[in-house]
Amino acid sequence: MDLELVDALRGPAGADALAAAAALADRDPLSAAAAMRAAGHPPALAAAALTQADLRRRAAGKFGPDAGRLLYTRAGLEQATRRVVADRRAARLAADGVRRLADLGCGLGADALAAARAGIAVLAVEADPATAALARHNAAALGLAGAVEVRCADATAVDLAGCDAAFCDPARRAGGRRVHDPRAGSPPWGFVTALADRVPRTVLKLAPGVDHDLLPPGAEGEWVSVGGDLVEAAVWCGPLARVPRRATLLPRDGGGAVPALTGSGARTAPVGAVGRYVYDPDPAVVRAHLVAEFADTVGGRLADPRIAYVHTDSARHTPYARRIAVTDVLPVALKRLRATLRDRGIGQLEIMKRGSPLDPHTLRRQLRLAGPHAATLILTRVDEAPTALLGHPG
């Protein structure tokens, strides 16, 4: 989207087009486009408004009730922080006494808006003129323009004097493709990792698959999941670092957060036999390398030192993992699995896997499921041997 089109969307004609596009939400794209043309909306503005209507629907899961008041780009929405995560981060910064935050590479402004809601003044920096205009619009749309100064500039050239904290979410797209290595993002990785030398209270938002070895020494690595979906890794630097590693589990609605699981990220869990119960830890726990710390909370063990399923002989309630009651431990042999499931009348089968090369969709077809009962099948390894654990949640 170019700056001229952004300006058009922000004006009176754009407001009319956006309202018309929202009213056509139940139409197919061709019918909606024809209706916009028939109503006299210019083609480019009509297309942009219809795109915004679609993006606003998609944004509801991230921005909640504010989604319908904001403007987006597809790439910006994809990278934008979910409100429940941004609000929690902003609350932590505010509790640490942050008064003015530099948001370097602010994108559409999700984190800047959260900081402003928490009472923090924000210098939001965005290199792309159109995206900067969208961030400016979004701050104004929520009544936060006075707290968020959006500056179109190169983040690496901005004077950070007066900012007592910095936040950076490097762009994870290059040449239209998503990149997973933070060293391939923008701003350059060297600039990102040196931020804490200039502003000690620095937070970095990275992809959740980031290698632990890339985290700055002494920083806190936090992996965050929302409703069981792993969404980001945050790196808290300088005086913001509290523990080496943290797993934060948030509900989708933002209420009733689970106490964070913390630890060194370097411990190993005890290894023993398969238990009557197996626990599948939340992905934030696994990515934070806190499986050993989780195992401590349930008195558990691993059945294989490289597989993050935790086993116990008695049921333990935990907010950090799903629990499956194991009824059978079987070899991964198609005929044996098929016969067992047939004998049990299993017609509905959840297939989980960790440490297995098998494709669950292919296996499901091969098992020829039939019957009134449901079960869970876990494909894993025990003592390096392919193993299937059959059971049910409980």
Side-chain angles (χ1 to χ4, degrees):
M1 186 186 303
D2 60 30
L3 189 55
E4 183 178 352
L5 195 50
V6 172
D7 289 341
L9 282 170
R10 297 176 67 191
D16 290 343
L18 287 166
L24 297 169
D26 59 342
R27 300 277 193 95
D28 66 84
L30 290 177
S31 174
M36 293 290 285
R37 289 194 301 271
H41 298 288
L45 185 58
L50 288 170
T51 296
Q52 289 300 317
D54 176 60
L55 293 176
R56 283 174 166 179
R57 288 192 295 271
R58 296 171 185 265
K62 283 193 171 184
F63 289 88
D66 290 336
R69 302 160 65 188
L70 308 181
L71 295 176
Y72 310 91
T73 62
R74 293 191 186 279
L77 177 57
E78 182 178 287
Q79 185 158 329
T81 305
R82 298 181 188 222
R83 177 165 179 169
V84 63
V85 180
D87 283 349
R88 180 188 170 279
R89 178 163 34 243
R92 181 170 168 180
L93 289 169
D96 201 76
V98 172
R99 293 294 173 260
R100 182 166 172 80
L101 174 71
D103 183 351
L104 304 177
C106 69
L108 298 173
D111 287 279
L113 298 175
R117 284 192 295 266
I120 300 172
V122 183
L123 170 61
V125 180
E126 173 55 49
D128 178 66
T131 304
L134 292 176
R136 196 172 293 114
H137 166 87
N138 291 341
L142 299 186
L144 298 171
V148 180
E149 176 194 349
V150 179
R151 188 179 302 177
C152 184
D154 180 346
T156 64
V158 172
D159 183 0
L160 301 181
C163 295
D164 55 359
F167 172 75
C168 187
D169 179 4
R172 294 189 290 276
R173 282 191 174 274
R177 295 185 177 182
R178 192 167 189 172
V179 296
H180 298 283
D181 187 338
R183 293 168 293 190
S186 176
W189 185 240
F191 167 82
V192 172
T193 55
L195 261 179
D197 295 332
R198 301 168 59 195
V199 185
R201 289 191 290 189
T202 284
V203 187
L204 310 176
K205 174 187 168 184
L206 303 176
V210 65
D211 190 328
H212 283 232
D213 291 340
L214 292 178
L215 272 57
E220 173 187 322
E222 178 189 32
W223 277 260
V224 182
S225 68
V226 178
D229 294 331
L230 185 61
V231 297
E232 71 168 58
V235 182
W236 299 80
C237 302
L240 295 174
R242 299 285 187 267
V243 293
R245 298 292 181 265
R246 182 188 304 266
T248 298
L249 284 59
L250 301 176
R252 294 190 188 280
D253 62 4
V258 172
L261 186 66
T262 63
S264 69
R267 289 184 50 207
T268 57
V271 178
V274 171
R276 292 181 58 194
Y277 298 90
V278 59
Y279 300 77
D280 181 22
D282 185 276
V285 173
V286 177
R287 281 301 308 155
H289 294 180
L290 294 176
V291 173
E293 284 81 353
F294 162 66
D296 285 348
T297 68
V298 294
R301 60 190 180 270
L302 305 180
D304 186 288
R306 289 181 290 181
I307 303 296
Y309 287 131
V310 174
H311 297 257
T312 66
D313 297 319
S314 59
R316 301 288 184 90
H317 173 72
T318 176
Y320 303 115
R322 288 186 61 205
R323 186 179 69 222
I324 305 296
V326 177
T327 58
D328 297 88
V329 181
L330 304 166
V332 181
L334 181 60
K335 289 184 178 179
R336 175 75 178 275
L337 288 173
R338 186 186 291 155
T340 300
L341 295 172
R342 183 185 61 241
D343 292 345
R344 305 285 172 81
I346 304 299
Q348 301 176 53
L349 186 67
E350 175 191 25
I351 302 178
M352 302 164 52
K353 75 167 196 169
R354 188 170 279 151
S356 171
L358 295 179
D359 176 58
H361 298 292
T362 301
L363 179 62
R364 187 184 304 278
R365 291 195 301 269
Q366 294 172 333
L367 289 173
R368 303 171 191 166
L369 300 171
H373 303 301
T376 297
L377 181 67
I378 300 175
L379 304 172
T380 186
R381 291 197 315 266
V382 176
D383 291 333
E384 297 299 325
T387 303
L389 307 178
L390 185 64
H392 54 82

